[in-house]
């Protein structure tokens, strides 16, 4: 995946990543740069293609298209119309940390969600956020849950 500047955000369907998407879009608008939405997937996390019969194993391409369509839906639902903001969606069959760290090499900013579970655990970063903070090639913004 080629990223040449802009704000990168990691998105899945979790509440923390959806909040990160909104914050990343606001930051990209402030900076007047493109927003790159990165969705890493595996067979375990990919939504099953809707048109695939139950007894059939979907192909990699079918999974890829299903993840892309799901990600486009997520972006449309959260950001609505965004004529003032160029949005590029990158769907990658890869573990999340590797996809985000790779994208960070060309990004101005990487935005990730916080996955704390409340209480003491709420003070700690999730494993993906922690890896990004430690190893990203650009600044990282960890978006905490709203209270």
């Amino acid at each position: 995946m080629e990223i040449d500047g802009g704000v990168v955000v990691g998105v899945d369907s979790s509440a923390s990543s959806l909040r990160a998407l909104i914050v990343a879009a606001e930051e990209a608008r402030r900076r007047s740069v493109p927003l790159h939405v990165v969705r890493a997937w595996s067979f375990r996390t990919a939504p099953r293609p809707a048109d695939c019969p139950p007894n059939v194993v979907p192909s990699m391409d079918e999974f890829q298209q299903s993840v892309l369509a799901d990600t486009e839906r997520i972006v449309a639902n959260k950001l609505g119309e965004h004529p003032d903001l160029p949005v590029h969606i990158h769907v990658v069959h890869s573990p999340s940390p590797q996809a985000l760290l790779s994208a960070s090499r060309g990004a101005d900013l990487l935005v990730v969600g916080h996955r704390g579970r409340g209480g003491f655990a709420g003070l700690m970063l999730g494993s993906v956020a922690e890896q990004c903070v430690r190893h990203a090639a650009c600044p990282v913004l960890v978006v905490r849950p709203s209270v």
Side-chain angles (χ1 to χ4, degrees), residues 1-10 24 27-28 31 33-38 90 99-112 132 135-141:
M1 133 183 51
E2 285 293 316
I3 305 288
D4 187 20
V7 175
V8 170
V9 61
E27 189 63 32
R31 295 170 180 238
V33 297
L35 175 65
H36 295 274
V37 178
V38 175
H90 308 271
L100 294 172
L101 293 173
S102 174
S104 78
R105 289 188 207 113
D108 299 320
L109 177 69
L110 173 60
V111 181
V112 294
C132 289
H135 303 291
C138 67
V140 178
L141 172 61

Side-chain angles (χ1 to χ4, degrees), residues 11-87:
V11 170
D12 55 22
S13 58
S14 69
S16 63
S17 79
L18 299 180
R19 178 149 164 69
L21 173 62
I22 293 167
V23 170
E26 292 167 359
E27 189 63 32
R29 280 190 184 98
R30 265 191 226 92
R31 295 170 180 238
S32 298
V33 297
L35 175 65
H36 295 274
V37 178
V38 175
R39 173 102 180 249
W41 66 275
S42 68
F43 290 112
R44 188 179 54 78
T45 64
R48 184 172 175 79
D51 59 349
C52 189
N55 304 6
V56 176
V57 176
S59 69
M60 287 283 290
D61 188 52
E62 288 171 318
F63 269 119
Q64 181 85 2
Q65 292 307 312
S66 180
V67 173
L68 177 61
D70 189 54
T71 307
E72 289 171 340
R73 179 190 55 75
I74 288 169
V75 170
N77 286 345
K78 282 297 170 187
L79 302 183
E81 293 294 318
H82 46 80
D84 61 327
L85 177 64
V87 176

